[in-house]
Amino acid sequence: MNVKIEESWKKVLTKEFEKDYFARLTDFVKAEYKQGNIFPPGYEIFAAFDATPFEAVKVVIIGQDPYHDVGQANGLCFSVCEGVPFPPSLLNIFKELHDDLGAEIPKDGDLTRWARQGVLLLNSTLTVRAHQAGSHQGKGWEIFTDEVIMRLARDRENVVFILWGAYAIKKGAFIDRSRHCVITSPHPSPLSSYRGFFGSKPFSKANQYLIEKGIKPIEW
């Protein structure tokens, strides 16, 4: 199957694109886009991969679903398009970033600036119906993104995996901690941010590890 995705990822995942589940997933997603309002826009489904080639990945942040309100999702987990108000989880991420590194809270929530430095902002499910959280779960995206994480964990060295919340922690449970850095905490959502997300210092921990391995840190 000819999937429009960044070339290095296309090479890594070529066998995945030929599997039966991916064909069924593709048919489902195409039908959904024809029938209703689906996020992100079709050309941004693989935006996280297009912005961060396989060999460029330094850090992986795992989300769950794209945002499901109009104009929010841009294909990068936790990120929103420029000019869109910050969703609560993203605002909490920026608050922790400020407390951790002293960085100013950005004027916009587009995290493409992180992605271009090597931060793979990966949702577990890459599409969603408008105003229906979780509506595309269980259709095959999770199998695909599990393979993405597995390939990074197996074929790369010294990658930082930032796992926020029980869902992401479970998804990354198999990662070899002797080859990679795994940073875990509660999710940044308002429901759990005060149970250990605030004060977890993921950004400074990630950069400290990268520096120790001789890798250029991220300008968060």
Side-chain angles (χ1 to χ4, degrees), residues 66 120-121 187 199:
L120 181 66
L121 295 161
H187 195 275

Side-chain angles (χ1 to χ4, degrees), residues 106-126:
K107 293 183 173 61
D108 71 83
D110 185 353
L111 301 181
T112 302
R113 57 186 175 273
W114 291 3
R116 288 177 178 157
Q117 296 180 70
V119 182
L120 181 66
L121 295 161
L122 180 67
N123 274 317
S124 178
T125 303
L126 299 189

Side-chain angles (χ1 to χ4, degrees), residues 4 34 54 59 67 72 81-82 99 114 126 138 149 156 159 166 171-172 178 180 185-186 189 197 199 205 209 213 218:
K4 293 181 179 178
K34 287 178 181 177
F54 181 76
V59 178
Y67 295 122
Q72 287 184 309
C81 300
E82 189 173 349
D99 291 345
W114 291 3
L126 299 189
I149 297 165
R156 294 285 315 281
V159 174
K171 195 169 178 73
S178 69
H180 304 285
S185 79
S189 78
F197 173 75
K205 288 176 181 176
Y209 178 84
K213 298 300 181 181
I218 306 299

Side-chain angles (χ1 to χ4, degrees), residues 132-183:
Q132 294 184 46
S135 51
H136 284 189
Q137 291 178 7
K139 303 297 183 181
W141 279 130
E142 296 92 340
I143 301 171
F144 175 73
T145 51
D146 280 350
E147 178 70 11
V148 169
I149 297 165
M150 188 280 288
R151 291 301 297 266
L152 285 165
R154 190 191 75 185
D155 298 344
R156 294 285 315 281
E157 298 284 344
N158 303 326
V159 174
V160 179
F161 291 87
I162 297 178
L163 310 179
W164 289 328
Y167 183 92
I169 291 169
K170 183 178 180 181
K171 195 169 178 73
F174 69 91
I175 298 166
D176 185 347
R177 269 67 169 173
S178 69
R179 294 177 58 194
H180 304 285
C181 175
V182 179
I183 298 169

